[in-house]
Amino acid sequence: MAYPTIDKPYGLKPINLIGGQVYAGSTRLMSIASGYNTSIYYGDVVKRVANGTVEKDSGTTTATPVGIFVGCTYTNPTTKQKQFAQYWPAGTVASDAQAYVVDDPDVLFKVATVSSGTTVAFYGPDVVGANAALVQNAGSNTTGDSAIAIDGTSIATTASLPIRIVDIVPDTSNTSNGYCEFVCKFNAPYIVSTFTNTSNTVTSTVTGGHQYLNATGV
């Protein structure tokens, strides 16, 4: 039986919820600021910002995601018609722009691993349970798809890394028991403690992780 070959990363693909919860593939509409000048591609990580809109989360070793971007809608400034699009073109002027976001903090997603850039690489099943950084490759204006991946060389137990590896994807393994796709989820926020000599005090701050799990909000 022939199995698919993964020759490049494709972003984050939501597939399920952790713990066997019922998954309906639901999304939430979130506003994009008119003229926002960064393209957002299907499968990119997005975050809420202080004005209530969403932007691309360009974090790598740290991130503060609210979810996964899976398309958008806006009034096309040229045709004046409502448009449903695979990606958000940077700089589009549209006061009604909204992103479709998979925002459940329990979402599981499939993602490719790379050694760097878009070079797909294989890793053993022993990486399951560890954390990983994101690789922020540019998406495609032709397909509208993301090219984000996880960095296989970054895999560690470091609490600040934004991605937790939950399982393997067996369909694209190689003959050496290596895997180039994994099932992952967003990590929870973590605590950073800072000691101040002058006042002899320790200050703890909750940071990183999925925004819905951070008690301090955006």
Side-chain angles (χ1 to χ4, degrees), residues 6-9 111-124 149-153 155 172 174 178-182:
I6 304 301
D7 58 359
K8 60 184 178 182
V111 60
T113 50
V114 297
S115 54
S116 65
T118 59
T119 303
V120 174
F122 289 81
Y123 297 88
I150 56 172
D151 181 358
T153 67
I155 294 172
T172 49
N174 62 17
Y179 301 87
C180 65
E181 292 181 292
F182 291 89

Side-chain angles (χ1 to χ4, degrees), residues 161-184:
L161 291 171
I163 303 299
R164 172 66 55 86
I165 301 172
V166 174
D167 203 355
I168 60 171
V169 176
D171 290 351
T172 49
S173 63
N174 62 17
T175 56
S176 302
N177 200 32
Y179 301 87
C180 65
E181 292 181 292
F182 291 89
V183 177
C184 300

Side-chain angles (χ1 to χ4, degrees), residues 2 17 136:
L17 295 179
Q136 294 281 353

Side-chain angles (χ1 to χ4, degrees), residues 32-39 55 74 77 88-97:
I32 305 172
S34 180
Y36 176 58
N37 202 28
T38 299
S39 294
E55 297 182 355
Y74 56 90
W88 168 257
T92 300
V93 176
S95 61
D96 61 347

Side-chain angles (χ1 to χ4, degrees), residues 12 26-31 40 44-49 52-58 63-69 99-107 109 134 162 186-187 208-214 217-218:
L12 279 51
S26 62
T27 59
R28 186 178 303 280
L29 281 170
M30 300 184 182
S31 296
I40 315 174
D44 273 355
V45 181
V46 290
K47 61 182 179 181
R48 286 274 197 186
V49 294
T53 64
V54 291
E55 297 182 355
K56 177 181 168 66
D57 190 332
S58 58
T64 53
V66 74
I68 302 168
F69 178 91
Y100 292 93
V101 179
V102 178
D103 67 339
D104 193 322
D106 286 343
V107 70
F109 48 85
L134 290 163
F186 292 121
N187 258 331
H210 195 286
Q211 289 181 314
Y212 289 169
L213 301 179
N214 190 324
V218 175

